[in-house]
Amino acid sequence: MNLKQAKIIFLIFFIFALIQSSLVCSLVSAEEYLWAGANQYQLWFQRLGRIQQQLNAMQEANLSVLRIFLGHRAQYLSWEDPPEAYTFEDPVGTFHDENLEKVDYLMSECQKRGIRLIIALSVHSKPYLDKYGPVNIYSSAASISDHKNRFSHFLNHYNSYLGKAWKDCDEVVYAWEIQNEAGIPLLDVTGLSSQERHDMIRNFLSELASHLKQIDPNTKVSLGIAGYANYYHQGKSGDDIRTLGNIPDADIYTLHFYGGNLSKWIDDNLSYCRSINKLLFVEEFGDTRSAGMSELKNLYSSVCNICRERGIPWMFWRLGHRKDENTYSVNSDDAVWQDVIVPEAQQILQTVTSDNWGIHPATAVEACGEVEQDFQISCFPNPFNRAIQFNVKNSSGIEKIDIFNLTGQLIFSKKIPIRQGDFQFIWGAKDSSGSEIPSGVYFAIFTRSNQKQLTRKILFIK
């Protein structure tokens, strides 16, 4: 029997056992919680030590999502170091995969830490604006075709660190973003009505959302819009959420906040997005360091509170190490990080949401529908990198703990003397032979003598 056959037999046996059980178990969602994240659009281009430092800071602060851009930067135009130019495509149709390989590395480092990525696949800059201009970049069939070719090239790129194409990296890529702030180039264009601008942006986003879903139906699609055309721009950017309406293949609508009435913006759009089955969150907010750390703390605290009270996630602009007054960078040694970002990120992780974000690795558990309410298991920390502690409430009847990897292979098993009351079990991330397991997702299954089970999904990161 080969490995593939063994895996198939295991899955068949496991499903049969569930069906035959007197209490049929099914995959159910536990309470889902909100999340927080950070923008660092060119972290993939940073020095390796900088990548490690900033990802470690995110992990320690419980920031679950990182947003990056696959953009274009001219020589010495830098918001972070190094100042060299970079591009992913220039001219249109000529790709520079050496930079995709840098993103490959960042993906692998995020995967180790349980950090998910929102990847903006395009920005309104060279070489597309040079070729098409600010109107045709959105209205031209040739431009849309070129964007589709770009997206296909990126999603089919093979990540040698993870051993698969980007479109299959579901454990690390949370969402494909069509474009950062689509419609902003239209601000200085005259002779177009607001309706024409909205129709143009709607068609552009609809075509590309559909294309992304055809390539990768399992990953969310985000619009990446600023979303405030009717608040700041009198409709000139064409990206007002309610006017854009229901874009069928998009999953996430976004707001970028840099002053104004955020409460009104969210209140105007959240119920509408939920009515058309879309997710909404504040994808960018912040100010330059020239505002002063006290003012930044007030701003960050206000935005985080507004988002938490209305039940939506947030991502700040932006994670970085620079200290000059004209930058938006915030890093782990800043007071706004320590006094606002860390406690707010922890608090939002404990805020229950009815929206289906599916960010956290431990939000799905396999449980028997009729299992007693006192058979409860929690695990901490999760993700973990040395050991994980399982806390079992009212453990009466528990006789074994089995841990499986994603392929269905049993890697660890421990029999538990049947006892009364609560107990704790610490697992040191080693298999039954005493060897350390590789990084990845595992399933801990607790079985009672009556064959009732609870499963916890856990993530080990070296």
Side-chain angles (χ1 to χ4, degrees):
M1 181 186 299
N2 60 34
L3 180 60
K4 184 175 181 180
Q5 291 171 326
K7 291 178 184 176
I8 294 173
I9 291 173
F10 170 83
L11 290 173
I12 293 173
F13 174 79
F14 188 63
I15 293 170
F16 179 78
L18 292 178
I19 294 173
Q20 292 300 314
S21 171
S22 59
L23 296 170
V24 177
C25 300
S26 62
L27 192 67
V28 298
S29 294
E31 288 184 331
E32 187 163 351
Y33 296 85
L34 294 176
W35 54 272
N39 288 270
Q40 204 337 339
Y41 71 102
Q42 54 176 280
L43 185 57
W44 58 270
F45 196 59
Q46 301 299 296
R47 300 182 179 96
L48 298 187
R50 188 80 69 195
I51 291 174
Q52 299 280 346
Q53 181 267 327
Q54 296 197 351
L55 291 181
N56 288 341
M58 285 189 63
Q59 183 183 16
E60 292 167 6
N62 292 305
L63 296 170
S64 306
V65 182
L66 171 69
R67 179 169 173 252
I68 63 171
F69 297 176
L70 306 188
H72 181 105
R73 187 177 74 184
Q75 188 73 29
Y76 302 120
L77 178 62
S78 173
W79 283 352
E80 293 286 339
D81 66 354
E84 293 84 4
Y86 63 73
T87 189
F88 289 87
E89 183 186 8
D90 191 19
V92 174
T94 299
F95 297 99
H96 298 262
D97 287 355
E98 68 276 8
N99 287 324
L100 294 179
E101 292 165 6
K102 293 179 181 179
V103 180
D104 291 343
Y105 174 76
L106 178 67
M107 281 186 181
S108 70
E109 291 300 304
C110 287
Q111 190 269 344
K112 292 176 184 177
R113 293 166 174 81
I115 295 172
R116 307 291 294 277
L117 284 166
I118 295 175
I119 301 180
L121 297 169
S122 66
V123 293
H124 39 73
S125 63
K126 297 168 72 72
Y128 282 81
L129 279 177
D130 284 351
K131 181 175 181 179
Y132 291 108
V135 175
N136 285 335
I137 192 174
Y138 298 117
S139 62
S140 163
S143 175
I144 292 175
S145 177
D146 281 336
H147 277 86
K148 289 180 179 179
N149 183 52
R150 176 186 177 92
F151 292 3
S152 295
H153 183 85
F154 290 164
L155 268 65
N156 286 299
H157 172 76
Y158 183 82
N159 185 321
S160 60
Y161 293 93
L162 300 179
K164 48 193 166 184
W166 282 12
K167 64 184 178 182
D168 299 319
C169 294
D170 300 336
E171 74 279 16
V172 64
V173 178
Y174 179 67
W176 303 115
E177 188 165 284
I178 296 171
Q179 186 175 94
N180 173 54
E181 298 189 346
I184 296 299
L186 297 175
L187 289 178
D188 297 326
V189 174
T190 60
L192 290 174
S193 68
S194 294
Q195 187 64 51
E196 288 172 324
R197 296 167 196 263
H198 281 104
D199 290 346
M200 193 182 303
I201 299 303
R202 183 189 305 111
N203 180 68
F204 176 81
L205 295 172
S206 297
E207 287 270 355
L208 293 173
S210 176
H211 183 68
L212 286 170
K213 283 295 187 182
Q214 289 174 17
I215 303 173
D216 182 7
N218 299 318
T219 303
K220 288 182 169 59
V221 172
S222 173
L223 297 185
I225 54 175
Y228 48 47
N230 286 350
Y231 304 107
Y232 275 175
H233 300 144
Q234 295 79 49
K236 291 182 179 179
S237 57
D239 67 344
D240 179 67
I241 289 174
R242 296 181 73 99
T243 310
L244 285 176
N246 186 357
I247 295 176
D249 291 302
D251 303 291
I252 304 172
Y253 286 31
T254 54
L255 281 170
H256 296 181
F257 176 68
Y258 294 99
N261 189 337
L262 180 60
S263 297
K264 175 176 174 53
W265 293 12
I266 296 174
D267 293 343
D268 285 351
N269 291 291
L270 182 55
S271 60
Y272 172 71
C273 285
R274 286 173 173 163
S275 74
I276 59 173
N277 199 31
K278 308 298 182 186
L279 298 165
L280 175 72
F281 79 114
V282 175
E283 186 178 50
E284 291 183 18
F285 72 91
D287 201 350
T288 63
R289 296 178 70 90
S290 62
M293 201 55 58
S294 177
E295 190 60 36
L296 285 177
K297 287 169 63 173
N298 290 336
L299 170 64
Y300 276 60
S301 180
S302 173
V303 172
C304 293
N305 277 313
I306 290 170
C307 289
R308 179 164 33 82
E309 289 170 357
R310 284 160 175 77
I312 65 173
W314 52 261
M315 299 181 76
F316 70 92
W317 185 275
R318 64 186 173 79
L319 179 65
H321 68 278
R322 286 177 57 179
K323 302 292 187 182
D324 51 289
E325 66 175 11
N326 293 322
T327 183
Y328 284 77
S329 292
V330 172
N331 209 341
S332 56
D333 59 351
D334 289 317
V336 67
W337 179 283
Q338 298 161 358
D339 297 343
V340 181
I341 292 174
V342 171
E344 285 289 347
Q346 181 62 36
Q347 193 166 357
I348 204 168
L349 287 175
Q350 300 169 6
T351 303
V352 176
T353 176
S354 59
D355 294 326
N356 184 27
W357 288 101
I359 286 287
H360 300 296
T363 56
V365 297
E366 194 163 5
C368 297
E370 303 275 338
V371 73
E372 296 96 327
Q373 291 298 310
D374 60 354
F375 183 22
Q376 297 174 6
I377 299 167
S378 61
C379 42
F380 180 83
N382 189 23
F384 67 106
N385 60 13
R386 288 192 181 90
I388 186 168
Q389 177 174 300
F390 298 97
N391 300 304
V392 185
K393 180 181 179 181
N394 197 355
S395 62
S396 176
I398 290 182
E399 62 177 16
K400 68 173 180 173
I401 301 170
D402 296 320
I403 298 180
F404 295 84
N405 62 20
L406 273 176
T407 69
Q409 178 186 8
L410 177 64
I411 63 164
F412 178 87
S413 184
K414 182 177 179 63
K415 291 185 177 180
I416 304 294
I418 295 177
R419 66 185 79 186
Q420 300 292 328
D422 303 344
F423 86 97
Q424 298 176 341
F425 171 66
I426 297 175
W427 181 51
K430 293 183 178 180
D431 63 21
S432 295
S433 68
S435 300
E436 187 176 59
I437 62 172
S439 296
V441 175
Y442 296 85
F443 297 90
I445 299 180
F446 293 74
T447 305
R448 270 182 165 170
S449 54
N450 60 8
Q451 299 305 303
K452 293 180 180 179
Q453 296 179 326
L454 276 183
T455 300
R456 291 293 178 264
K457 183 160 57 172
I458 57 179
L459 177 61
F460 176 59
I461 303 168
K462 289 187 178 180

